[in-house]
Amino acid sequence: MNVVERSMAPLTNEHLRRLAEIAETDREGLFSRKPHLAVYRNRIVLTALCQGAALHFVNGTNGVKDLDVYTFYAKDPSIGYPYRRIGTGDFGESELGRHPDDHGFVGRRVDLLGRTLEAVPSADPVAAVRSYLRAGFAATSKELAKKAVVVVDPGPRFGQIVWPVL
């Protein structure tokens, strides 16, 4: 297994599919442990690879340190989503290798985060996330807008570059 700070291996659609699976498993675990949050199961707008790894998918030159996957939900006015919650997954063996500081991981660390959007569940997913990034009201939206966002789920939008708008 290649242990390097930044992998320069290209990110592929197969990598994106694996990230979608990891995110789904993490979400289902969260909803099982915290049943009051299960309302968000049917409010998923978009799941995306974000930050530096997404930028690497777009430009092939940024490199991959870790994999940040965000699930964006349509906000439920009666139940707040725990925005500070960060799940962690292991990408497993792959050509992406492992970061030298990520002891206990087989492959790249996957950080799993969630944010709510001022949108309805049936909203156009790409438009809803772009609106969130453009508004820049939250620290997270400002940070995400600095790099890139690539859809890993839902299926019809799979692999679409949401941000930057090209």
Side-chain angles (χ1 to χ4, degrees), residues 27-163:
R27 282 192 308 267
E28 287 306 314
L30 173 65
F31 299 151
S32 292
R33 289 185 311 276
K34 309 269 185 189
H36 70 283
L37 294 175
V39 67
Y40 282 103
R41 182 181 281 122
N42 296 319
R43 300 184 74 79
I44 297 169
V45 173
L46 184 82
T47 303
L49 176 63
C50 300
Q51 304 274 32
L55 188 58
H56 185 68
F57 181 85
V58 172
N59 69 19
T61 61
N62 189 71
V64 177
K65 186 175 177 181
D66 63 1
L67 300 150
D68 295 313
V69 178
Y70 279 76
T71 299
F72 296 96
Y73 301 92
K75 187 175 185 174
D76 184 301
S78 64
I79 299 173
Y81 185 85
Y83 68 93
R84 291 186 182 193
R85 186 246 178 206
I86 302 175
T88 304
D90 188 334
F91 192 80
E93 273 196 44
S94 77
E95 57 280 350
L96 300 175
R98 178 179 64 80
H99 189 281
D101 293 340
D102 289 340
H103 305 288
F105 287 83
V106 173
R108 292 282 156 180
R109 186 182 77 245
V110 181
D111 291 333
L112 300 144
L113 305 103
R115 290 295 181 271
T116 57
L117 306 177
E118 296 293 335
V120 296
S122 61
D124 175 273
V126 170
V129 172
R130 283 180 177 164
S131 177
Y132 169 74
L133 296 172
R134 281 189 184 110
F137 293 130
T140 298
S141 63
K142 289 176 188 173
E143 286 303 309
L144 294 181
K146 290 179 183 178
K147 302 247 174 122
V149 176
V150 178
V151 178
V152 300
D153 196 34
R157 304 289 185 136
F158 176 81
Q160 183 176 349
I161 298 167
V162 173
W163 196 265

